Amino acid sequence: MPTISVDREDLFNALNYNYTTEEFEELCFNFGLELEKDTSESKTINEIPERPQFKIDVPANRYDLLCFEGISRALNIFLGHQKAPEFKLSKPEKLQLLYVSEETAKIRPYISAVILRELNFTKSRYESFISLQEKLHSNICRNRSLVSIGTHDLDTIQGPFSYEAHKPEKINFIPLNQKKSFNMVELFEFYKNDKHIGKFLHLIENSPIYPVIYDSNRVVCSLPPIINSEHSKITLNTKNVLIEVTGTDQTKLEIVTNIMVAMFSCYSKDPFTIEPVHIKSPHNQCSRIWPKVEPYINSVKISYINSCCGLDLSAAEISKLLERMGLSSKQSTIDPELLDVFVPITRADILHQCDIMEDVAIAYGYNRLKKVFTNKIATTGKPLPLNKLTDIIRKECSMAGWSEVMPLVLCSYNENFNYLGKTSNSLAIILENPKTSDYQVVRTSLIPGLLKTIRENKKHVLPMKIFEVSDIVLQNKNEETLCKNKRLWSAAYFSNASGFEIIHGLLDRIMNMLNTNNVTPEDKNPGYWIQCAEEPIFLKGRCAKVFLRLKNMLEINVGIFGILHPNVLKAFEIPFVGSILEIDIENWL
């Protein structure tokens, strides 16, 4: 949870009440916040007294509470001192234009921009403005990797603006708080050891082109996501502010833009009025006039709210409670059982009706909710069929004297393919930027994990009998996630002798416990049989495939077992001989 520092005296002035620490802690609790610390006793730093501060823990998804303006406004609305603001767009004679170059799609494809006019900055407001940017950068922006914010004194630059991408050596400007002009090669060298800016350089450092924002006079405004220009630096005297937000995630970019203007448009000459910017980006169909400040409608069932909270409230009563949370609502004209809730641009945390239900519970008061069983129907859970089958196999293998192991799901490309004598599988999921060569592929077999376990336990007493019943993952375009898990069972026996008959015996034991009869290929009855096969992982003539005939007479190859080839043992650095088995158990469901 982010922790926000707010000035105690300023907050009490905004709330028009001088709370004790205990009273304010209770207010925070009732609203869903947590007062972490109250520095009510003035501290002295270099003989300069420091004003008392509140350190408040804020929910990670409440981006509207990351600054003094957001917290004071939300608490005032909660206490009934004011109503939620209605944001509106101004109608200037001519909209500012922002042209987006097609080359930006290769580095940082999305941008939005807005303008706040006639702001009245004070020292505390200015510091809060900067602090909110930093809080957003470290929270939803993921340290500027997804989104970054640039703010500019609009009176020092001139539109229309352009968002472009160029080679680093072709971009020159004076960065913020500097006096010398740098090209980007020089700038990155200058900031590489900087504790603040240096940690963001990697975001674009290896790109052949860098994103840059120009005004109509080709003055550089910023180099997102690294640093702004000294030319358009904001000061306490700034009246008109251009806020540009660039990123790789359009949804988060729009959330960040909305939060910035919603929090500080209150200081405009015409409060909560925002000047839009016309963004022209035809190459990716993102041309638009931004921002959109109209609330969106999220419908929720009245019965759902009452059942979850154990209440019996009418639509009017729920609407009144939602007003305390900054949400307006009205009963639906289509269905009287529905409540249409108008979600403002500040509440990006509201996604589903459960979020609205939570706000109703907060406004009503958690301590006032009756302790009742909201569900009067007793239910009994049971394991999923696949998990039940898995547990049966685990139990039987353990009772037969085999030890279960749980290797990692990721392995190296060589371990998954080359060491086993396999070629690359088009169904395998390969990581794009693996942290290390040990974790390149999501396993398509349980065998590499068992062999690595044996390798790391070479000093263990022989024989070693291990097994695993777990999932592999394969690509599947028919699934929503484009991949699918498959449950396999694998067992390995290692000693001074191959133990082919032992691994075969384990197979027969498990088949017997699964009520699967041993039949012949010519037999017409359901059951399983083995058939000689050739696979590069096994010795020639010491490998068998396992076939299963289902009740519908469909015959399936469900697995394979055999004595491991010396090349495989050498690749995994195993000094013993051994046999291994792998079966797809989902066919028994």
Side-chain angles (χ1 to χ4, degrees):
M1 294 174 67
T3 301
I4 310 301
S5 294
V6 295
D7 186 279
R8 175 187 171 119
E9 185 178 343
D10 288 346
L11 183 59
F12 286 172
N13 289 336
L15 299 178
N16 200 27
Y17 187 82
N18 192 19
Y19 291 89
T20 64
T21 301
E22 292 73 19
E23 289 173 336
F24 186 73
E25 187 173 15
E26 184 178 359
L27 173 62
C28 288
F29 176 80
N30 291 337
F31 186 65
L33 305 177
E34 183 178 350
L35 179 61
E36 183 181 288
K37 188 176 182 181
D38 174 16
T39 62
S40 54
E41 294 183 4
S42 298
K43 296 182 178 180
T44 302
I45 300 177
N46 296 329
E47 299 183 355
I48 300 175
E50 187 180 79
R51 289 165 64 95
Q53 301 282 314
F54 279 139
K55 296 187 182 296
I56 303 172
D57 285 339
V58 176
N61 62 346
R62 287 299 301 269
Y63 314 118
D64 58 314
L65 301 179
L66 290 175
C67 61
F68 169 83
E69 289 74 14
I71 288 180
S72 60
R73 186 186 306 164
L75 290 178
N76 268 320
I77 295 171
F78 182 71
L79 294 169
H81 296 166
Q82 70 178 69
K83 291 187 176 181
E86 294 183 5
F87 301 97
K88 56 183 180 293
L89 298 179
S90 63
K91 297 179 180 179
E93 294 182 3
K94 185 178 180 181
L95 287 175
Q96 288 284 5
L97 297 176
L98 174 60
Y99 295 94
V100 182
S101 169
E102 187 173 353
E103 285 74 22
T104 58
K106 301 174 184 177
I107 176 68
R108 209 166 177 85
Y110 303 112
I111 186 170
S112 67
V114 291
I115 295 172
L116 295 178
R117 295 279 187 183
E118 297 297 324
L119 288 178
N120 182 19
F121 274 131
T122 62
K123 185 175 183 296
S124 60
R125 292 174 182 178
Y126 176 81
E127 290 174 350
S128 180
F129 185 72
I130 301 301
S131 176
L132 176 60
Q133 294 178 57
E134 294 304 318
K135 291 292 184 184
L136 290 171
H137 278 154
S138 61
N139 190 341
I140 184 175
C141 300
R142 296 294 186 269
N143 290 320
R144 306 190 190 182
S145 62
L146 299 180
V147 181
S148 64
I149 309 164
T151 54
H152 311 278
D153 188 334
L154 188 59
D155 296 327
T156 64
I157 49 181
Q158 186 175 349
F161 303 94
S162 60
Y163 178 44
E164 306 172 13
H166 296 290
K167 293 182 178 180
E169 58 271 15
K170 292 186 177 181
I171 304 172
N172 287 270
F173 71 99
I174 302 175
L176 191 65
N177 298 326
Q178 299 297 325
K179 296 181 179 180
K180 175 187 173 183
S181 179
F182 296 85
N183 67 35
M184 293 308 94
V185 177
E186 297 169 338
L187 184 138
F188 273 60
E189 182 66 25
F190 180 78
Y191 280 114
K192 69 178 182 180
N193 295 321
D194 187 274
K195 292 183 179 180
H196 178 60
I197 301 297
K199 61 185 178 182
F200 305 119
L201 298 181
H202 71 279
L203 296 175
I204 61 172
E205 188 172 17
N206 296 322
S207 172
I209 54 175
Y210 289 179
V212 60
I213 297 174
Y214 291 101
D215 76 347
S216 60
N217 297 319
R218 303 302 290 173
V219 173
V220 172
C221 300
S222 69
L223 179 80
I226 308 301
I227 196 167
N228 292 340
S229 166
E230 173 71 13
H231 181 87
S232 58
K233 178 181 178 179
I234 288 181
T235 66
L236 289 176
N237 298 321
T238 298
K239 293 297 180 184
N240 302 309
V241 175
L242 169 68
I243 302 174
E244 44 86 1
V245 184
T246 62
T248 58
D249 186 314
Q250 189 171 10
T251 300
K252 287 182 170 59
L253 176 139
E254 293 175 354
I255 291 173
V256 169
T257 308
N258 289 339
I259 293 297
M260 285 297 299
V261 295
M263 293 301 102
F264 289 92
S265 58
C266 61
Y267 297 134
S268 296
K269 187 176 181 180
D270 187 4
F272 306 113
T273 300
I274 303 158
E275 181 178 324
V277 173
H278 190 178
I279 300 168
K280 293 196 172 185
S281 182
H283 67 277
N284 58 358
Q285 292 79 48
C286 285
S287 296
R288 64 202 187 280
I289 295 176
W290 192 257
K292 302 293 184 186
V293 296
E294 300 82 7
Y296 75 91
I297 298 176
N298 194 330
S299 297
V300 58
K301 290 184 178 180
I302 298 172
S303 58
Y304 170 79
I305 292 176
N306 284 325
S307 64
C308 289
C309 299
L311 301 173
D312 186 18
L313 302 176
S314 65
E317 290 172 321
I318 293 175
S319 295
K320 197 168 183 180
L321 291 173
L322 288 174
E323 285 182 8
R324 298 187 64 195
M325 304 303 293
L327 304 174
S328 59
S329 60
K330 67 177 182 179
Q331 198 164 6
S332 174
T333 56
I334 301 174
D335 185 351
E337 282 298 313
L338 290 178
L339 194 68
D340 290 337
V341 180
F342 299 90
V343 182
I345 60 174
T346 53
R347 295 299 303 274
D349 59 299
I350 295 182
L351 303 175
H352 309 286
Q353 60 178 357
C354 62
D355 300 313
I356 298 172
M357 176 273 296
E358 181 186 16
D359 272 11
V360 171
I362 291 173
Y364 184 83
Y366 276 121
N367 291 335
R368 294 177 56 202
L369 294 176
K370 296 179 181 179
K371 296 180 180 179
V372 295
F373 290 105
T374 55
N375 188 351
K376 298 180 181 179
I377 302 174
T379 59
T380 304
K382 65 177 182 179
L384 294 171
L386 180 58
N387 290 340
K388 185 176 182 180
L389 174 63
T390 299
D391 289 340
I392 291 172
I393 295 175
R394 281 175 174 156
K395 181 179 178 181
E396 293 303 325
C397 287
S398 299
M399 292 175 66
W402 296 68
S403 301
E404 185 176 12
V405 296
M406 298 182 69
L408 298 175
V409 176
L410 298 179
C411 60
S412 73
Y413 185 90
N414 285 334
E415 291 166 347
N416 199 69
F417 296 113
N418 297 341
Y419 290 177
L420 301 180
K422 297 180 180 179
T423 56
S424 178
N425 186 346
S426 60
L427 297 180
I429 298 173
I430 300 175
L431 276 64
E432 185 174 2
N433 293 305
K435 192 75 173 178
T436 169
S437 60
D438 292 333
Y439 309 118
Q440 297 173 314
V441 183
V442 181
R443 63 183 180 183
T444 58
S445 169
L446 301 183
I447 293 176
L450 295 184
L451 295 180
K452 287 197 292 182
T453 302
I454 295 294
R455 180 186 67 195
E456 300 302 324
N457 292 274
K458 287 184 285 191
K459 295 183 179 180
H460 197 279
V461 63
L462 297 177
M464 284 189 276
K465 301 189 291 184
I466 61 174
F467 76 95
E468 181 185 10
V469 191
S470 192
D471 287 356
I472 63 169
V473 186
L474 301 172
Q475 293 185 37
N476 189 324
K477 295 182 179 180
N478 297 324
E479 298 292 328
E480 183 181 3
T481 57
L482 301 181
C483 60
K484 186 176 182 179
N485 288 22
K486 181 179 283 190
R487 187 70 53 87
L488 302 184
W489 162 50
S490 187
Y493 177 90
F494 281 85
S495 186
N496 294 323
S498 65
F500 182 84
E501 69 283 359
I502 296 176
I503 208 84
H504 190 180
L506 178 65
L507 172 66
D508 290 340
R509 170 63 181 172
I510 298 301
M511 293 298 104
N512 184 34
M513 297 310 299
L514 295 178
N515 294 322
T516 305
N517 296 325
N518 191 352
V519 298
T520 62
E522 297 78 17
D523 201 338
K524 299 298 182 181
N525 296 319
Y528 81 100
W529 71 92
I530 63 173
Q531 188 171 307
C532 185
E534 297 292 337
E535 289 290 338
I537 186 176
F538 298 112
L539 277 175
K540 188 175 182 180
R542 295 294 183 271
C543 168
K545 288 186 177 180
V546 182
F547 289 87
L548 177 68
R549 183 183 293 118
L550 304 177
K551 291 182 179 180
N552 60 5
M553 296 297 111
L554 179 65
E555 297 179 358
I556 308 171
N557 175 19
V558 294
I560 194 168
F561 71 100
I563 301 174
L564 286 168
H565 196 282
N567 292 340
V568 176
L569 298 174
K570 182 179 179 181
F572 282 93
E573 302 175 8
I574 298 175
F576 322 115
V577 292
S579 299
I580 206 158
L581 157 79
E582 186 170 66
I583 301 291
D584 180 358
I585 66 172
E586 292 188 4
N587 297 288
W588 273 265
L589 294 176

PDB file of all heavy atoms in Angstrom, residues 312-329:
ATOM      1  N   ASP A 312     -31.208  -4.467   3.995  1.00  0.00           N
ATOM      2  CA  ASP A 312     -32.462  -4.396   3.237  1.00  0.00           C
ATOM      3  C   ASP A 312     -32.714  -2.929   2.899  1.00  0.00           C
ATOM      4  O   ASP A 312     -33.611  -2.287   3.440  1.00  0.00           O
ATOM      5  CB  ASP A 312     -33.616  -4.987   4.051  1.00  0.00           C
ATOM      6  CG  ASP A 312     -34.910  -5.069   3.237  1.00  0.00           C
ATOM      7  OD1 ASP A 312     -34.815  -5.006   1.994  1.00  0.00           O
ATOM      8  OD2 ASP A 312     -35.993  -5.167   3.844  1.00  0.00           O
ATOM      9  N   LEU A 313     -31.879  -2.402   2.004  1.00  0.00           N
ATOM     10  CA  LEU A 313     -31.930  -0.986   1.665  1.00  0.00           C
ATOM     11  C   LEU A 313     -32.669  -0.774   0.356  1.00  0.00           C
ATOM     12  O   LEU A 313     -32.618  -1.611  -0.556  1.00  0.00           O
ATOM     13  CB  LEU A 313     -30.512  -0.421   1.536  1.00  0.00           C
ATOM     14  CG  LEU A 313     -29.603  -0.540   2.768  1.00  0.00           C
ATOM     15  CD1 LEU A 313     -28.206  -0.033   2.435  1.00  0.00           C
ATOM     16  CD2 LEU A 313     -30.188   0.236   3.942  1.00  0.00           C
ATOM     17  N   SER A 314     -33.336   0.349   0.261  1.00  0.00           N
ATOM     18  CA  SER A 314     -34.007   0.721  -0.985  1.00  0.00           C
ATOM     19  C   SER A 314     -32.999   1.364  -1.928  1.00  0.00           C
ATOM     20  O   SER A 314     -31.867   1.687  -1.539  1.00  0.00           O
ATOM     21  CB  SER A 314     -35.142   1.700  -0.696  1.00  0.00           C
ATOM     22  OG  SER A 314     -34.619   2.916  -0.183  1.00  0.00           O
ATOM     23  N   ALA A 315     -33.420   1.581  -3.160  1.00  0.00           N
ATOM     24  CA  ALA A 315     -32.541   2.218  -4.143  1.00  0.00           C
ATOM     25  C   ALA A 315     -32.152   3.620  -3.692  1.00  0.00           C
ATOM     26  O   ALA A 315     -30.999   4.042  -3.851  1.00  0.00           O
ATOM     27  CB  ALA A 315     -33.232   2.260  -5.504  1.00  0.00           C
ATOM     28  N   ALA A 316     -33.101   4.340  -3.107  1.00  0.00           N
ATOM     29  CA  ALA A 316     -32.823   5.706  -2.647  1.00  0.00           C
ATOM     30  C   ALA A 316     -31.809   5.707  -1.510  1.00  0.00           C
ATOM     31  O   ALA A 316     -30.912   6.565  -1.457  1.00  0.00           O
ATOM     32  CB  ALA A 316     -34.122   6.379  -2.204  1.00  0.00           C
ATOM     33  N   GLU A 317     -31.919   4.740  -0.608  1.00  0.00           N
ATOM     34  CA  GLU A 317     -30.979   4.664   0.515  1.00  0.00           C
ATOM     35  C   GLU A 317     -29.573   4.306   0.038  1.00  0.00           C
ATOM     36  O   GLU A 317     -28.575   4.855   0.528  1.00  0.00           O
ATOM     37  CB  GLU A 317     -31.478   3.632   1.531  1.00  0.00           C
ATOM     38  CG  GLU A 317     -32.727   4.073   2.285  1.00  0.00           C
ATOM     39  CD  GLU A 317     -33.312   2.963   3.137  1.00  0.00           C
ATOM     40  OE1 GLU A 317     -33.316   1.797   2.670  1.00  0.00           O
ATOM     41  OE2 GLU A 317     -33.768   3.249   4.260  1.00  0.00           O
ATOM     42  N   ILE A 318     -29.502   3.400  -0.927  1.00  0.00           N
ATOM     43  CA  ILE A 318     -28.189   3.035  -1.478  1.00  0.00           C
ATOM     44  C   ILE A 318     -27.574   4.229  -2.201  1.00  0.00           C
ATOM     45  O   ILE A 318     -26.374   4.505  -2.073  1.00  0.00           O
ATOM     46  CB  ILE A 318     -28.324   1.823  -2.424  1.00  0.00           C
ATOM     47  CG1 ILE A 318     -28.719   0.578  -1.631  1.00  0.00           C
ATOM     48  CG2 ILE A 318     -27.021   1.578  -3.179  1.00  0.00           C
ATOM     49  CD1 ILE A 318     -28.999  -0.642  -2.485  1.00  0.00           C
ATOM     50  N   SER A 319     -28.388   4.961  -2.943  1.00  0.00           N
ATOM     51  CA  SER A 319     -27.892   6.142  -3.662  1.00  0.00           C
ATOM     52  C   SER A 319     -27.326   7.173  -2.696  1.00  0.00           C
ATOM     53  O   SER A 319     -26.291   7.803  -2.968  1.00  0.00           O
ATOM     54  CB  SER A 319     -29.015   6.766  -4.491  1.00  0.00           C
ATOM     55  OG  SER A 319     -29.432   5.887  -5.514  1.00  0.00           O
ATOM     56  N   LYS A 320     -27.992   7.335  -1.567  1.00  0.00           N
ATOM     57  CA  LYS A 320     -27.524   8.305  -0.577  1.00  0.00           C
ATOM     58  C   LYS A 320     -26.180   7.879   0.008  1.00  0.00           C
ATOM     59  O   LYS A 320     -25.295   8.710   0.249  1.00  0.00           O
ATOM     60  CB  LYS A 320     -28.569   8.443   0.530  1.00  0.00           C
ATOM     61  CG  LYS A 320     -28.395   9.689   1.383  1.00  0.00           C
ATOM     62  CD  LYS A 320     -29.604   9.925   2.263  1.00  0.00           C
ATOM     63  CE  LYS A 320     -29.438  11.229   3.057  1.00  0.00           C
ATOM     64  NZ  LYS A 320     -30.617  11.485   3.917  1.00  0.00           N
ATOM     65  N   LEU A 321     -26.014   6.574   0.226  1.00  0.00           N
ATOM     66  CA  LEU A 321     -24.739   6.075   0.737  1.00  0.00           C
ATOM     67  C   LEU A 321     -23.627   6.239  -0.302  1.00  0.00           C
ATOM     68  O   LEU A 321     -22.497   6.597   0.035  1.00  0.00           O
ATOM     69  CB  LEU A 321     -24.871   4.600   1.131  1.00  0.00           C
ATOM     70  CG  LEU A 321     -25.741   4.297   2.357  1.00  0.00           C
ATOM     71  CD1 LEU A 321     -25.908   2.793   2.529  1.00  0.00           C
ATOM     72  CD2 LEU A 321     -25.139   4.908   3.619  1.00  0.00           C
ATOM     73  N   LEU A 322     -23.963   5.987  -1.559  1.00  0.00           N
ATOM     74  CA  LEU A 322     -22.953   6.105  -2.614  1.00  0.00           C
ATOM     75  C   LEU A 322     -22.494   7.548  -2.793  1.00  0.00           C
ATOM     76  O   LEU A 322     -21.349   7.793  -3.200  1.00  0.00           O
ATOM     77  CB  LEU A 322     -23.497   5.554  -3.932  1.00  0.00           C
ATOM     78  CG  LEU A 322     -23.638   4.027  -4.011  1.00  0.00           C
ATOM     79  CD1 LEU A 322     -24.322   3.615  -5.303  1.00  0.00           C
ATOM     80  CD2 LEU A 322     -22.269   3.355  -3.897  1.00  0.00           C
ATOM     81  N   GLU A 323     -23.372   8.500  -2.498  1.00  0.00           N
ATOM     82  CA  GLU A 323     -22.973   9.907  -2.583  1.00  0.00           C
ATOM     83  C   GLU A 323     -21.822  10.207  -1.634  1.00  0.00           C
ATOM     84  O   GLU A 323     -20.961  11.044  -1.929  1.00  0.00           O
ATOM     85  CB  GLU A 323     -24.167  10.809  -2.260  1.00  0.00           C
ATOM     86  CG  GLU A 323     -25.191  10.901  -3.381  1.00  0.00           C
ATOM     87  CD  GLU A 323     -26.337  11.832  -3.032  1.00  0.00           C
ATOM     88  OE1 GLU A 323     -26.240  12.518  -1.987  1.00  0.00           O
ATOM     89  OE2 GLU A 323     -27.312  11.876  -3.790  1.00  0.00           O
ATOM     90  N   ARG A 324     -21.787   9.528  -0.493  1.00  0.00           N
ATOM     91  CA  ARG A 324     -20.696   9.730   0.469  1.00  0.00           C
ATOM     92  C   ARG A 324     -19.363   9.225  -0.076  1.00  0.00           C
ATOM     93  O   ARG A 324     -18.301   9.623   0.412  1.00  0.00           O
ATOM     94  CB  ARG A 324     -21.007   9.010   1.782  1.00  0.00           C
ATOM     95  CG  ARG A 324     -22.242   9.504   2.509  1.00  0.00           C
ATOM     96  CD  ARG A 324     -22.353   8.843   3.862  1.00  0.00           C
ATOM     97  NE  ARG A 324     -21.240   9.218   4.733  1.00  0.00           N
ATOM     98  CZ  ARG A 324     -20.934   8.577   5.865  1.00  0.00           C
ATOM     99  NH1 ARG A 324     -21.640   7.512   6.232  1.00  0.00           N
ATOM    100  NH2 ARG A 324     -19.919   8.976   6.605  1.00  0.00           N
ATOM    101  N   MET A 325     -19.427   8.349  -1.076  1.00  0.00           N
ATOM    102  CA  MET A 325     -18.205   7.809  -1.680  1.00  0.00           C
ATOM    103  C   MET A 325     -17.879   8.480  -3.008  1.00  0.00           C
ATOM    104  O   MET A 325     -17.019   8.015  -3.759  1.00  0.00           O
ATOM    105  CB  MET A 325     -18.349   6.295  -1.885  1.00  0.00           C
ATOM    106  CG  MET A 325     -18.694   5.526  -0.623  1.00  0.00           C
ATOM    107  SD  MET A 325     -17.507   5.768   0.716  1.00  0.00           S
ATOM    108  CE  MET A 325     -16.062   4.983   0.032  1.00  0.00           C
ATOM    109  N   GLY A 326     -18.579   9.569  -3.305  1.00  0.00           N
ATOM    110  CA  GLY A 326     -18.298  10.316  -4.525  1.00  0.00           C
ATOM    111  C   GLY A 326     -18.953   9.752  -5.762  1.00  0.00           C
ATOM    112  O   GLY A 326     -18.547  10.079  -6.884  1.00  0.00           O
ATOM    113  N   LEU A 327     -19.974   8.905  -5.585  1.00  0.00           N
ATOM    114  CA  LEU A 327     -20.654   8.281  -6.721  1.00  0.00           C
ATOM    115  C   LEU A 327     -22.111   8.723  -6.751  1.00  0.00           C
ATOM    116  O   LEU A 327     -22.811   8.646  -5.741  1.00  0.00           O
ATOM    117  CB  LEU A 327     -20.595   6.753  -6.613  1.00  0.00           C
ATOM    118  CG  LEU A 327     -19.207   6.119  -6.488  1.00  0.00           C
ATOM    119  CD1 LEU A 327     -19.334   4.622  -6.244  1.00  0.00           C
ATOM    120  CD2 LEU A 327     -18.385   6.377  -7.737  1.00  0.00           C
ATOM    121  N   SER A 328     -22.561   9.170  -7.896  1.00  0.00           N
ATOM    122  CA  SER A 328     -23.982   9.476  -8.064  1.00  0.00           C
ATOM    123  C   SER A 328     -24.661   8.284  -8.720  1.00  0.00           C
ATOM    124  O   SER A 328     -24.021   7.500  -9.431  1.00  0.00           O
ATOM    125  CB  SER A 328     -24.166  10.732  -8.922  1.00  0.00           C
ATOM    126  OG  SER A 328     -23.582  10.554 -10.203  1.00  0.00           O
ATOM    127  N   SER A 329     -25.945   8.131  -8.489  1.00  0.00           N
ATOM    128  CA  SER A 329     -26.658   6.968  -9.023  1.00  0.00           C
ATOM    129  C   SER A 329     -28.142   7.257  -9.101  1.00  0.00           C
ATOM    130  O   SER A 329     -28.653   8.198  -8.483  1.00  0.00           O
ATOM    131  CB  SER A 329     -26.407   5.738  -8.140  1.00  0.00           C
ATOM    132  OG  SER A 329     -26.852   5.983  -6.818  1.00  0.00           O
TER     133      SER A 329
END
